[in-house]
Amino acid sequence: MAGTTREEIVSEADGLFYQQGFEHTSFADIAAAVGISRGNFYYHFKSKDEILSAVIELRLANTHAMLERWDREGGDPTVRIRCFIRILIANRAKIIRHGCPVGTLTGELAKLAHPSLSDAARLFTLFRDWLARQFMLMGRAQDEADEFALHLLARSQGVATLANAFGDTDFSDTGFAGTEFVEREVAGMCAWLDRIAAGN
Amino acid sequence: MAGTTREEIVSEADGLFYQQGFEHTSFADIAAAVGISRGNFYYHFKSKDEILSAVIELRLANTHAMLERWDREGGDPTVRIRCFIRILIANRAKIIRHGCPVGTLTGELAKLAHPSLSDAARLFTLFRDWLARQFMLMGRAQDEADEFALHLLARSQGVATLANAFGDTDFSDTGFAGTEFVEREVAGMCAWLDRIAAGN
DNA sequence: GTCTATAGCGAGATAGAC
DNA sequence: GTCTATCTCGCTATAGAC
C-alpha cells in the first residue's frame, strides 16, 4: 500500500470501480478509502475521467506483467493457456461477487458511450494477442490462432457473467452452486484445449 | 406504442435501461421519450426502483411468451435450441452496441448491490429451465440437461460481452469484425449441439 | 391524470488558506 | 501537497394547482 498519493488514489479507485462500478463510485468513496480530502484530488487529476484513464493504464500494466510472468514460468504453451483458464478458479470468489474486472468495465463504458471504452477494450486485446501467440506456438496458423483466442476469451467471459448474475443469490432456491459451475466450465475449457493440442 | 401511460413508461424505460443502463438513465430521459412531465411519474410509480421492477416484470413476460412461441413452432428440441442460439444473430447489431439485455442488467445490478438483482437473474433462470427441458426431451438426465443449459447460456453471454466490448470501436485497427465473430461462435455452438444430439 | 414549481440531496469541480 | 469552504449542476422526490 505504500507509494505516492497519486498511486494510492489509482489503486483504491481500481478496487472501487471493480466492486461498485465507475459511475456509482464517487470522489467521496475514493477519498474515504485513501484517507484524503475530496479537494485534494484535483491536485493529482483534472477530472474523474482522468482517474479512469489512470486505472485502465494500471490494469494494462498489471495484466502485461502477469502475461510476461506466465511466459517465463510455463515452459509449454498449453500450460500457459491453462494459467489463463484457471484465473476463473483463482479469482472465483471475487468473480461471483463482482464479475470479471474487464468485462464489467467494458460493459459499463459501452452503456455510458464513454470515450475510454476503446482503451478498456485493449485489456481484452492484451489477452487475445497473448493467447493467439500461444496457439501459434502450438503450430496453428495466425487466423485460426486468433479465432481460438477469441473463443476462449468469450467462454471465460460467459462463465464470469453467469457466476456473477446467479452467484450471491442463487445458492439456496434454484440449486445453483457458483463454485461448481465455474469448476465444471473450467474443466470443459481444459478438455477443449487438450483436443486442440492433440490436433483437433 | 398505444397503451396506457404506465405501459408506455415501462416500455420506454425498458429500452433506455438497455441502451444507457439503469443508473445512467434519469427520469428526465424517460419523460422526454414518453412525452410527459417528470412529476407525472409519481402518480404511476413511487420510485425509480419500482420502474425497474416493472421493467423486469415486462421482460420476464416477453421472454416467457417468446419461449412459448418457440415451443409451439419448432417441432424438434434441437430446432428450438437453435432458435435460442440464433438470437445472437437476429439481434447482433443491438448486441454489438449494447450487449445482452439480461447480462448487462444483472452485471449493473450486481455492482449496485441492488435488491432487484435476484429478480433480474430470473430472466436467466427462464432460459436455463427452458433449455434444460429441451435437453431432457433429447433424452438427457436432469443434471446433465441443466449443465448443458448453463453451458449454452454462458457461451452466448461471452459472445455478447466480447462483441459489445470490441464492437463499435475495433472494426478498423485490430481487424475485429463483430459480425463475423458472432456468426463463427454461433456456428460453433450449433456444432456442439449437433454432437450432443448425436449422443456425444 | 397531468401539469408546474420546488425542495433536498449528492455529485463533480473550483478557490484559496495553510 | 493537503486542507476547508463553496459553487453549480442534475438528480430523485414532493407539493399542490388544474
Side-chain angles (χ1 to χ4, degrees), chain A residues 71 74-78 80-81 130-141 145:
Chain A
D71 272 334
D76 185 336
T78 65
R80 292 198 282 268
I81 294 173
W130 182 86
L131 284 168
R133 229 176 300 134
Q134 308 309 317
F135 284 115
M136 288 173 73
L137 287 172
M138 291 164 66
R140 299 290 175 160

Side-chain angles (χ1 to χ4, degrees), chain B residues 147-165:
Chain B
E147 289 177 16
F148 288 164
L150 284 172
H151 175 77
L152 213 47
L153 262 185
R155 278 181 72 166
S156 57
Q157 281 303 303
V159 172
T161 301
L162 273 201
N164 183 223

Side-chain angles (χ1 to χ4, degrees), chain B residues 36-100:
Chain B
I36 60 170
S37 71
R38 268 158 293 152
N40 192 8
F41 276 107
Y42 294 87
Y43 175 78
H44 301 282
F45 300 96
K46 279 203 281 284
S47 69
K48 195 182 179 185
D49 286 349
E50 273 199 7
I51 299 185
L52 174 62
S53 293
V55 166
I56 293 173
E57 288 303 316
L58 174 67
R59 292 190 185 182
L60 283 167
N62 288 343
T63 304
H64 186 75
M66 181 178 68
L67 295 176
E68 284 204 324
R69 184 156 32 87
W70 289 348
D71 272 332
R72 284 195 308 273
E73 292 177 1
D76 185 339
T78 64
V79 173
R80 293 198 281 268
I81 295 173
R82 228 174 253 114
C83 284
F84 167 80
I85 296 173
R86 300 189 108 261
I87 312 180
L88 285 168
I89 291 181
N91 298 342
R92 67 174 177 269
K94 285 184 188 171
I95 288 172
I96 286 172
R97 276 209 253 181
H98 308 116
C100 166

